[in-house]
Amino acid sequence: PEMLDNEDHLLENHPRELTQNPLKKIWMPHKNSHIGHRRVCMTNCPTLIVTVGLPARGKTYISKKLTRYLNWIGVPTKEFNVGDYRRECLKIYKSFEFFRPDNEEGVKIRRQCAMSALNDVRQYLSVEGGQVAVFDATNTTRDRRGTIMKFAEQNGFKVFFVESVCEDPEVIAQNIVQVKLGNPDYMNCSSEEAIEDFMERIKCYETSYQPLDEDLDSDVSYIKIMDVGRRYLVNRVVDHIQSRIVYYLMNIHITPRSIYLCRHGESDLNIKGRIGGDSGLSSRGKEFAKRLRSFLEEQKIKDLKIWTSQMKRTIQTAECLGVPYEQWKSLNEIDAGVCEEMMYEEIQEHFPLEFALRDQDKYRYRYPKGESYEDLVQRLEPVIMELERQENVLVICHQAVMRCLLAYFLDKTSHELPYLKCPLHTVLKLTPVAYGCKVESVYLGVESVNTHRDRPENVNVQRSTEDALQTVPAHL
Amino acid sequence: MAAIHKKPCTASKSSTESKRTDLKSNEKKGSWAYYMTNSPLLIVMIGLPARGKTYMSKKLTRYLNWIGVPTKVFNLGVYRREAVQSYKSYDFFRHDNEEAMKIRKQCALVALQDVKTYLSEEGGQIAVFDATNTTRERRTLIVNFAQENSFKVFFVESVCDDPEVIAENIMEVKVSSPDYPERDRESVMEDFLKRIECYKVTYQPLDPDKHDMNLSFIKVINVGRRFLVNKVQDSIQSKIVYYLMNIHVHSHSIYLCRHGESLHNLEGRLGGDSGLSERGKKFAVELKAFVKEHNLSDLKVWTSQLKRTIQTAEELGVPYEQWKILNEIDAGMCEEMTYAMIEEKYPEEFAMRDQDKYHYRYPGGESYQDLVQRLEPVIMELERQGNVLVICHQAVMRCLLAYFLDKGADDLPYMKCPLHTVLKLTPVAYGCKVEMFDLKVEAVNTHRDRPLVSIKVKTPPPMFRRNSFDPLSTKDQIKRPRMYSMGNFSPPPTLPPPAFASTRISEGIESVQREVSVQLI
């Protein structure tokens, strides 16, 4: 037998040597390959989610919300709204006549738009690395759905249908008022004209509508949402991502409510410019808690639930409110590991490499023996799920945690998330509206230190101390 | 906010009852488990015999208890067997058998009484009423009962028309039922099928469109191929639905083992992120052979994100997946110390841990209870999967094992999970078969037994901890849940820990009850 040289010999007889990725602190073999290092690998092949339903049944609402959620938990997702393609193509919308089933020209254009959208779907899932595409259109005929399933099969995508069925005239009317009136299609109409036209539009679809059927579609994977979540029919969920999607869809609702996010009052460690730890409130922090109580009393919020973390400073803040509250360990601040209770200046002094890496990719950077923003998001997912179920909630949390929650509600990317501004002593009121979220920022007038550190210009590991500390906020 | 005092008290029935009503009327919440439920929940199973009701009841109960929601199954068959000492034949179940019908109804009422006691007085939060409940009449009775007692109701109906599934069911669990002591398979099958026919005559499935449209329920159709979910009222019902939608009945095996012996293990140090020792590496090699030998199709391999589990998996030469949530319990300030060092440096912490190992949270670290919460997505995914090998850590493995083997908070932290041993878990009938494979590579023993001496605490000690409050949730099934978080309300009187102390009997050795007052800073 040949004499293998040293290195080969080693590879033959020993498992691969591991190195720890300096940014994420993940252990990987030298010649990295097949491992999935995040959570469970959600999908083997990409998934195509297809909405089904008459107009004004909440398909776009669901599409956008689902897309936002999946992206937040780290599954690259994109929605493709066929209406947008049609608007691109048609430029000017005249009336509902376009949607009449006997309008040959209209039918042709609509079919082309659907094809064009599917092409983009293919591009996104097969070429651009997307994992989930949401195909948002009425898809009300079995024929159209058949075409889509064929397309998916040819490209190796799994298909999951999300059908929304609703006959409640009030819900439909509200839908139309909330999202259709502001739609580009109805820019130049009065409200009454728009509503009338839209109702006619719905009628165009009604005659040919073939809802997903228990028997005829028994082999298809789908969820049928009835009456805005009063009832669900779930058929043939085949994998993890579909299971998560079903769980999410079953937890969301459209009852009007507001979510209030704020941080604990200023803490003793905040004043000293130190991160993490478990200190109590400073006197200004206590003042904030009092003001918070007045603010809540003024707002007269119905059935407000209050959540805190299990760290002293949020609990002390909640204590001043004089009402019951619930503690969640998952709301605890990001664990800074070996850097806990340090000032940025100290981190730069003792761990300049770590400090630079963090600036290079703040979202993925994991503190040694601590967490990353990415870890935080995973930790906060059950909180988001419960927030979706709830109505009025006040969450008293921490800077990094609040950034993650805010990013979910405001659909911020992982680049933006770690730099969202969440100052102390400021309450953010989030109210879902149309397809998004209205934000009101209320500063309660109690001074505090600034704990926000912007990304410095120089993120190079060789940078000077001065460059590294360029953006550190002032402290004692 | 230095200390929390928990006043001990003797709880008399009436005071706990009025407390419950008080709590209900004030709707106060505090515990993590409690955010999920306001009032107690009565889960009612529905379905013809051999539709998997008991299977789902037991599994669901196991899951709910594991995540910290005190749950108990009330199986009507058990009550019936009590009442009618010997079962003769399916004739008992004929709907025109008046005498039998009387007895069966009586049993139902007795069972419901026990449900009431469990939920109203014994601190239970969820009761699972496992019976056919196939008529509207019976279900109305139950709904009225629940309303009278302010319990929420959630129905779980199992509908199945696949004769193969039903036959398999009967073979797996009915043949060995106490009703059929002779166990002659053919006659059991025959009698049981006739029994099912008796129920079919009067079976009124849930009708979501009209009669039952206001009830909260899930209809499980053909073993999970399809589900109909109606009017979910709250988070715990949502979680129950999610769980039922993720479980399956295909046979599969789950293999649990720890990483190979690590350098820290050799030194007796906790936690950390050290690599494998020589013997640990040897174990990894043996594990590779083991996996090959067992010839598992599509085996998935999961590790934590700590070096020692990854090094172990590397040896297997197959793709594996890293989960941060499989990381070992965070020992906070005690990380990388030996037990001797901890005892010396933090004697109070050390003592507290021995008092209540499940709830004890390391300063700046985690408790077993935190671990369970952290591991929940792993369990959910294990339920979805087929064959999986999980290479993890001692505390983590204990939590996962406790889920599969239905071990409570008292036993969990003392389960034996030695190094270099693989546990194979295979679901069988209503439980789990465990096979232990010692891969015959020597390793240190990292197991610390329950303390021999049960430390009966005279007064619950004030607890001062840097980074936490005692996580608020029930300790075990018969204790009352703590309903308040820290607030302007005085914590409700908690039961003194006699049950707690009495279960502290370590395997077969007499415990010496001593009163020790624990000094804390």
Side-chain angles (χ1 to χ4, degrees):
Chain A
E2 272 183 328
M3 276 293 286
L4 300 163
D5 77 47
N6 221 18
E7 206 181 63
D8 285 333
H9 183 76
L10 281 170
L11 282 172
E12 279 285 317
N13 293 326
H14 297 276
R16 296 175 292 187
E17 282 300 305
L18 296 176
T19 54
Q20 194 178 45
N21 164 293
L23 181 79
K24 298 181 71 162
K25 312 300 187 295
I26 305 277
W27 289 103
M28 309 177 311
H30 265 304
K31 278 149 192 152
N32 176 39
S33 57
H34 51 234
I35 54 158
H37 54 247
R38 218 185 328 181
R39 299 136 50 200
V40 61
C41 191
M42 299 271 247
T43 55
N44 305 330
C45 48
T47 301
L48 174 57
I49 298 177
V50 182
T51 62
V52 179
L54 295 172
R57 263 55 176 183
K59 297 183 299 300
T60 303
Y61 176 80
I62 290 170
S63 300
K64 287 185 185 264
K65 212 168 153 73
L66 189 55
T67 301
R68 177 161 56 89
Y69 167 70
L70 291 171
N71 276 314
W72 186 75
I73 61 173
V75 181
T77 307
K78 193 166 167 189
E79 36 138 5
F80 298 83
N81 179 295
V82 174
D84 289 341
Y85 284 78
R86 188 257 309 153
R87 274 181 280 276
E88 206 27 61
C89 183
L90 253 203
K91 301 293 183 210
I92 301 171
Y93 173 74
K94 293 209 181 59
S95 80
F96 75 92
E97 305 272 349
F98 177 79
F99 291 97
R100 288 178 55 151
D102 55 0
N103 181 341
E104 267 186 45
E105 176 75 22
V107 166
K108 215 172 96 178
I109 294 178
R110 287 155 69 197
R111 178 165 272 266
Q112 269 172 4
C113 288
M115 289 299 118
S116 177
L118 283 179
N119 259 327
D120 287 353
V121 163
R122 186 209 332 261
Q123 178 74 9
Y124 178 66
L125 294 180
S126 302
V127 177
E128 290 172 17
Q131 267 179 328
V132 178
V134 183
F135 186 66
D136 177 19
T138 49
N139 299 314
T140 39
T141 61
R142 194 156 282 121
D143 187 57
R144 169 58 57 87
R145 298 196 290 267
T147 308
I148 297 172
M149 287 196 283
K150 231 180 251 132
F151 160 84
E153 203 186 311
Q154 283 164 359
N155 289 283
F157 307 149
K158 283 188 191 165
V159 183
F160 188 74
F161 290 96
V162 178
E163 180 173 27
S164 175
V165 175
C166 179
E167 290 316 314
D168 184 339
E170 270 184 50
V171 174
I172 297 168
Q174 253 236 35
N175 243 349
I176 297 176
V177 168
Q178 263 214 19
V179 295
K180 303 300 180 189
L181 295 187
N183 188 294
D185 288 344
Y186 297 109
M187 259 185 340
N188 303 314
C189 306
S190 74
S191 303
E192 294 85 42
E193 285 170 346
I195 294 176
E196 204 186 304
D197 183 274
F198 204 83
M199 297 303 257
E200 288 300 318
R201 199 150 107 176
I202 297 178
K203 283 212 188 89
C204 297
Y205 284 90
E206 267 171 354
T207 40
S208 58
Y209 182 20
Q210 294 163 303
L212 288 168
D213 182 81
E214 264 181 40
D215 299 308
L216 295 172
D217 297 304
S218 63
D219 280 338
V220 173
S221 298
Y222 66 84
I223 178 172
K224 201 191 264 266
I225 304 172
M226 295 171 264
D227 294 326
V228 204
R230 187 201 169 92
R231 190 188 309 170
Y232 304 91
L233 197 94
V234 180
N235 197 59
R236 290 219 182 229
V237 166
V238 302
D239 64 17
H240 178 95
I241 187 77
Q242 290 180 15
S243 164
R244 290 285 285 276
I245 289 165
V246 164
Y247 186 44
Y248 181 71
L249 291 175
M250 285 178 28
N251 281 319
I252 60 180
H253 67 77
I254 56 167
T255 311
R257 52 85 177 248
S258 290
I259 294 167
Y260 298 78
L261 300 179
C262 73
R263 291 166 66 188
H264 52 82
E266 183 192 67
S267 73
D268 289 323
L269 284 182
N270 284 147
I271 295 181
K272 299 192 179 118
R274 293 181 177 281
I275 62 173
D278 193 22
S279 57
L281 297 179
S282 68
S283 53
R284 298 195 294 196
K286 290 177 185 158
E287 182 60 34
F288 164 72
K290 291 201 192 111
R291 299 267 181 110
L292 183 60
R293 178 180 184 151
S294 314
F295 170 74
L296 293 177
E297 281 165 5
E298 277 163 38
Q299 291 275 307
K300 292 203 197 342
I301 307 158
K302 176 173 166 250
D303 290 333
L304 179 69
K305 301 227 159 82
I306 301 183
W307 296 354
T308 69
S309 69
Q310 280 186 353
M311 296 180 132
K312 198 162 162 186
R313 48 200 188 277
T314 56
I315 297 171
Q316 270 187 309
T317 309
E319 277 290 304
C320 289
L321 306 179
V323 289
Y325 58 90
E326 224 164 292
Q327 300 177 18
W328 293 63
K329 187 174 194 278
S330 350
L331 284 173
N332 280 7
E333 181 58 314
I334 191 171
D335 183 355
V338 302
C339 300
E340 277 282 320
E341 305 203 357
M342 287 180 129
M343 299 189 289
Y344 289 119
E345 291 85 342
E346 287 168 354
I347 302 176
Q348 169 60 19
E349 192 190 324
H350 298 288
F351 308 110
L353 171 66
E354 295 293 327
F355 202 48
L357 285 175
R358 186 159 206 251
D359 284 334
Q360 285 178 16
D361 190 347
K362 197 173 174 188
Y363 183 73
R364 277 166 205 84
Y365 170 81
R366 187 186 279 171
Y367 281 106
K369 309 217 169 144
E371 295 175 304
S372 61
Y373 271 95
E374 200 174 21
D375 296 327
L376 247 197
V377 162
Q378 183 174 7
R379 174 158 54 91
L380 288 169
E381 204 250 335
V383 175
I384 288 296
M385 200 61 90
E386 189 55 24
L387 275 174
E388 283 296 345
R389 287 202 61 82
Q390 290 291 340
E391 296 185 11
N392 292 319
V393 186
L394 163 66
V395 184
I396 305 174
C397 54
H398 306 267
Q399 184 167 249
V401 169
M402 187 163 159
R403 284 171 171 155
C404 292
L405 298 177
L406 199 56
Y408 166 76
F409 288 108
L410 302 185
D411 203 14
K412 297 295 181 187
T413 65
S414 58
H415 292 291
E416 298 165 305
L417 187 162
Y419 296 102
L420 292 175
K421 286 217 163 72
C422 295
L424 287 165
H425 300 181
T426 307
V427 180
L428 289 185
K429 176 179 177 182
L430 304 165
T431 313
V433 104
Y435 295 139
C437 222
K438 179 172 85 165
V439 194
E440 292 163 75
S441 177
V442 184
Y443 171 58
L444 294 194
V446 179
E447 285 216 26
S448 71
V449 295
N450 171 27
T451 56
H452 185 93
R453 191 181 154 259
D454 267 313
R455 189 176 196 262
E457 267 178 56
N458 190 347
V459 299
N460 199 297
V461 303
Q462 319 281 15
R463 63 190 178 174
S464 67
T465 299
E466 201 188 319
D467 279 351
L469 299 176
Q470 182 199 10
T471 54
V472 171
H475 59 86
L476 270 183
Chain B
M1 197 86 80
I4 309 158
H5 288 267
K6 290 188 277 185
K7 297 191 193 77
C9 96
T10 52
S12 68
K13 263 198 180 154
S14 57
S15 81
T16 53
E17 232 171 53
S18 62
K19 252 304 174 260
R20 187 111 215 172
T21 352
D22 258 333
L23 297 169
K24 269 189 298 238
S25 57
N26 295 337
E27 294 236 344
K28 292 183 174 57
K29 302 184 15 235
S31 70
W32 171 77
Y34 194 60
Y35 84 76
M36 295 200 157
T37 60
N38 299 332
S39 26
L41 173 64
L42 176 58
I43 297 177
V44 182
M45 306 302 294
I46 303 175
L48 295 172
R51 260 58 175 183
K53 296 185 299 299
T54 303
Y55 175 80
M56 281 195 285
S57 302
K58 287 186 185 246
K59 214 170 152 72
L60 186 56
T61 300
R62 177 162 57 89
Y63 166 70
L64 291 168
N65 277 315
W66 186 75
I67 62 171
V69 184
T71 308
K72 194 169 167 187
V73 180
F74 296 82
N75 177 295
L76 198 52
V78 170
Y79 286 80
R80 190 254 308 153
R81 277 184 276 278
E82 265 290 308
V84 180
Q85 292 299 326
S86 79
Y87 173 75
K88 296 218 173 50
S89 83
Y90 75 92
D91 281 321
F92 182 82
F93 291 97
R94 290 175 54 153
H95 73 286
D96 53 0
N97 182 340
E98 269 190 45
E99 170 80 24
M101 286 299 255
K102 237 172 75 180
I103 296 176
R104 288 160 71 193
K105 180 158 186 199
Q106 193 48 33
C107 287
L109 294 173
V110 173
L112 286 177
Q113 263 310 109
D114 286 354
V115 163
K116 178 175 174 179
T117 310
Y118 176 66
L119 294 179
S120 303
E121 294 166 34
E122 291 174 6
Q125 270 177 327
I126 301 184
V128 182
F129 188 56
D130 177 19
T132 49
N133 298 315
T134 39
T135 60
R136 285 193 184 148
E137 191 200 329
R138 171 58 56 85
R139 298 197 288 267
T140 308
L141 179 114
I142 297 172
V143 169
N144 291 340
F145 159 83
Q147 257 163 18
E148 278 163 20
N149 292 285
S150 303
F151 303 151
K152 284 187 185 169
V153 185
F154 187 75
F155 292 94
V156 177
E157 180 174 27
S158 175
V159 174
C160 181
D161 49 27
D162 184 338
E164 269 183 49
V165 174
I166 296 167
E168 225 196 274
N169 251 348
I170 297 177
M171 275 301 120
E172 235 196 80
V173 293
K174 302 301 180 189
V175 166
S176 52
S177 152
D179 287 339
Y180 299 106
E182 332 80 48
R183 300 188 193 183
D184 165 18
R185 293 158 82 97
E186 258 159 49
S187 62
V188 169
M189 180 67 89
E190 203 187 308
D191 185 274
F192 206 84
L193 286 172
K194 291 218 183 87
R195 196 148 106 174
I196 297 177
E197 291 305 312
C198 296
Y199 281 93
K200 271 192 182 162
V201 178
T202 51
Y203 183 20
Q204 295 161 301
L206 285 174
D207 172 28
D209 297 312
K210 283 220 211 56
H211 191 268
D212 301 306
M213 54 186 257
N214 285 318
L215 296 180
S216 299
F217 65 83
I218 178 172
K219 225 189 241 266
V220 179
I221 300 155
N222 282 335
V223 205
R225 168 137 335 149
R226 193 158 77 233
F227 301 92
L228 194 130
V229 181
N230 199 61
K231 286 200 98 180
V232 168
Q233 300 167 316
D234 60 22
S235 303
I236 191 67
Q237 290 179 18
S238 173
K239 254 197 129 105
I240 288 165
V241 163
Y242 184 44
Y243 182 74
L244 290 175
M245 285 177 43
N246 280 319
I247 60 180
H248 67 76
V249 295
H250 307 130
S251 82
H252 66 136
S253 290
I254 292 164
Y255 297 80
L256 301 180
C257 74
R258 291 165 66 186
H259 53 82
E261 182 191 69
S262 72
L263 297 169
H264 270 23
N265 286 147
L266 282 178
E267 291 173 33
R269 292 181 180 278
L270 300 184
D273 194 17
S274 59
L276 297 179
S277 67
E278 280 311 308
R279 300 195 294 196
K281 288 177 187 166
K282 218 168 147 236
F283 165 72
V285 173
E286 292 302 316
L287 186 62
K288 177 177 184 169
F290 174 84
V291 167
K292 252 207 175 97
E293 199 189 302
H294 277 244
N295 204 15
L296 300 155
S297 66
D298 289 328
L299 178 71
K300 294 225 164 86
V301 179
W302 296 353
T303 70
S304 70
Q305 281 185 353
L306 294 172
K307 195 169 171 186
R308 48 201 189 275
T309 56
I310 298 169
Q311 268 186 307
T312 310
E314 270 293 306
E315 182 61 45
L316 305 180
V318 295
Y320 58 89
E321 226 162 288
Q322 298 181 16
W323 295 61
K324 186 175 194 277
I325 50 183
L326 283 173
N327 280 9
E328 181 59 315
I329 191 172
D330 182 358
M333 298 200 315
C334 301
E335 276 281 318
E336 315 219 34
M337 295 171 82
T338 64
Y339 285 119
M341 286 161 74
I342 301 173
E343 189 167 12
E344 198 197 311
K345 195 160 179 208
Y346 306 113
E348 336 77 46
E349 295 290 331
F350 196 67
M352 265 201 285
R353 186 158 205 251
D354 278 341
Q355 274 176 45
D356 188 354
K357 198 172 173 188
Y358 183 75
H359 292 97
Y360 172 81
R361 188 185 277 170
Y362 280 107
E366 294 176 303
S367 62
Y368 271 95
Q369 187 181 34
D370 296 327
L371 247 197
V372 162
Q373 187 173 1
R374 191 186 353 121
L375 287 168
E376 215 227 311
V378 175
I379 287 296
M380 201 62 93
E381 191 53 24
L382 278 173
E383 285 295 345
R384 288 199 58 82
Q385 290 289 342
N387 296 322
V388 186
L389 165 63
V390 184
I391 305 173
C392 54
H393 306 267
Q394 184 167 247
V396 170
M397 187 164 160
R398 283 172 171 156
C399 292
L400 298 178
L401 202 55
Y403 165 76
F404 288 107
L405 303 185
D406 203 12
K407 297 294 181 188
D410 280 332
D411 295 323
L412 188 162
Y414 296 102
M415 295 179 79
K416 286 214 162 75
C417 296
L419 286 164
H420 300 182
T421 309
V422 182
L423 288 184
K424 176 181 177 181
L425 303 165
T426 315
V428 106
Y430 295 138
C432 219
K433 180 171 82 166
V434 195
E435 290 165 80
M436 196 181 225
F437 297 93
D438 178 355
L439 296 199
K440 302 266 188 287
V441 178
E442 283 219 29
V444 298
N445 173 22
T446 56
H447 184 90
R448 253 188 97 242
D449 263 314
R450 230 187 267 270
L452 286 181
V453 175
S454 86
I455 302 168
K456 186 174 176 191
V457 180
K458 206 162 28 179
T459 51
M463 291 201 283
F464 175 40
R465 202 181 305 288
R466 199 197 100 206
N467 189 23
S468 71
F469 287 89
D470 191 20
L472 305 173
S473 71
T474 49
K475 290 187 177 202
D476 70 49
Q477 283 204 202
I478 55 171
K479 296 262 188 78
R480 306 228 44 236
R482 274 163 57 186
M483 303 296 186
Y484 299 97
S485 67
M486 277 308 296
N488 296 330
F489 321 98
S490 50
T494 54
L495 295 173
F500 171 89
S502 68
T503 54
R504 255 168 205 281
I505 301 170
S506 66
E507 296 70 85
I509 301 169
E510 255 172 28
S511 69
V512 176
Q513 301 261 347
R514 248 196 324 160
E515 298 207 347
V516 173
S517 63
V518 181
Q519 298 286 347
L520 290 173
I521 298 166

